[in-house]
Amino acid sequence: MFHDHLNEVKRREHALQIIGERIASGGREGIYDLTGLSGGFPLEMEDIGLLETYVGPAVFEERLQTAGRKHMGGEMVAAFNRTSSAILASILELAEPGSLVVHYLPELPSHPSIPSSTQLAAARYHETDDFTEDIPENTSLVVVTGSTMDHRVVDESELQQIIERAHSAGVPVLVDDASGARLRTVLFNQKRACDLGADLAVTSTDKLMHGPRGGLLAGRSDLVERVKSRAYRFGLEAQPPLIAAMVRALESFDPSEILNALERKGYLLEALRDLNVEETPTGIMIKPDSLEELYDSTCTGDEIAVALSMLLLSDHGIITIPAVGMPGASKTLRFDLASRDAERLVPELLREAIEDAVDKLSGIISDRKMMEKLIFGS
Ligand SMILES: *Cc1c(COP(=O)(O)O)cnc(C)c1O
């Protein structure tokens, strides 16, 4: 039903339309964004007058350095439009044409930005979840993912060992710590990537913190300078309004919100045992494969996950990625309980909403027309 990109776009637009309608009738309170990607823009009134091309950087750059280094470690930070933009600029700058970029990650697949950027750099790409694999000759850059899109977190000792092995081979290391910069440090008490010796580390200011979608790169000042200058040539660097919101988000980051999610998670894991829920570091998830077992139907797990995600949205105002995500995004139904909106939704109500959606779908799933209406609208 949605193997094609166009249908995925239609599904996403339908979901956004439902969100718009709910907000028009019930206000923002009628929506619970549990994606963990809230893209908040926490500006203060006094910031607004400073968002100009040259005034902004003069004011916010210094604060970005202070707050960014406090969060990430390293000698220097730089702000980018997205994590993917920081990854692209870093790989273009550091991967040598014809050489190899090796990517270690706790679980495949990689975020697409890493292989795609490597291709643009005319380098070869190899990814592996086996951290004992040697770093081949002719490697110009090692990338390590600190926490995957599904929030699988690397072992600190494996991360440290790869960094040491890369360094003895004279190869720099970039850590993709999009969510890992908080998951690893706050929940697993791991060190910041730069403190473990990473030459560069990048994080996303809208993952597990209440900031805008933007990428914060930290690390060795000589490398950050080089990557920045590469970014300017392609327009990948963050502009003053984004930098200002990133600064505010970093300055107000409070790790206790992530820790509070743990209590809500324990309750839901127990209460929803029959639905094959699994735990993530800050919430719960139901994988598409396990959904197939719940229904006697020819629908794929991905289709069921999208249908449930749409029901949760239209009936309960709960936003999850399978409904609103970009084409190709994971169809895992992930409920991030560290999201700000999770504080307004008591776990009992979330449980009821999930059970209700699962029930309701059994009356629709065998009717192709109703499924299409649910997912794509009329
Ligand atoms: C989210 C994520 C990215 C990309 O972040 P964008 O803001 O979409 O560019 C890259 N890598 C990992 C592991 C991620 O989770």
Side-chain angles (χ1 to χ4, degrees), residues 19-36:
I19 295 172
E21 285 164 6
R22 278 192 80 96
I23 289 182
S25 65
R28 176 65 181 81
E29 299 283 293
I31 288 289
Y32 303 92
D33 182 343
L34 302 187
T35 60

Side-chain angles (χ1 to χ4, degrees), residues 68-70 72-77 192 194-195 198 218-221:
R69 280 196 311 241
K70 178 160 177 254
M72 295 293 284
E75 298 168 355
M76 184 189 256
V77 299
R192 296 177 299 188
C194 293
D195 297 339
R220 272 169 48 189
S221 48

Side-chain angles (χ1 to χ4, degrees), residues 49-84:
L50 301 172
L51 302 180
E52 295 159 42
T53 302
Y54 296 109
V55 176
V59 176
F60 293 113
E61 179 59 29
E62 205 180 305
R63 280 168 63 187
L64 180 75
Q65 290 303 323
T66 308
R69 280 196 311 241
K70 178 160 177 254
H71 196 73
M72 295 293 284
E75 298 168 355
M76 184 189 256
V77 299
F80 293 76
N81 265 323
R82 281 176 55 181
T83 298
S84 300

Side-chain angles (χ1 to χ4, degrees), residues 61 70-71 135 173 202 210 217 220 226 261 271 297 306 328 341:
E61 179 59 29
K70 178 160 177 254
H71 196 73
I135 298 167
V173 178
V202 60
H210 304 300
L217 183 75
R220 272 169 48 189
R226 276 174 59 192
S297 151
V306 171
D341 287 353

Side-chain angles (χ1 to χ4, degrees), residues 37 81-85 87 111 113-114 145 147-149 151 176-179 204 206-207 213-215:
L37 304 164
N81 265 323
R82 281 176 55 181
T83 298
S84 300
S85 324
I87 288 171
H111 188 273
S113 60
I114 296 169
T145 288
S147 163
T148 65
M149 291 178 284
H151 290 179
D176 175 0
D177 237 0
S179 59
S204 166
D206 82 336
K207 289 183 174 163
R213 193 172 192 179

Side-chain angles (χ1 to χ4, degrees), residues 276-330:
N276 301 326
V277 290
E278 294 172 50
E279 73 181 297
T280 69
T282 55
I284 58 167
M285 64 176 170
I286 313 178
K287 292 227 173 105
D289 288 350
S290 72
L291 287 170
E292 285 177 21
E293 295 163 26
L294 294 181
Y295 300 95
D296 180 18
S297 151
T298 54
C299 286
T300 64
D302 279 2
E303 288 169 340
I304 298 171
V306 171
L308 287 174
S309 184
M310 295 301 287
L311 280 168
L312 284 165
L313 177 59
S314 53
D315 293 359
H316 304 279
I318 294 169
I319 305 183
T320 50
I321 298 280
V324 295
M326 295 288 181
S330 164

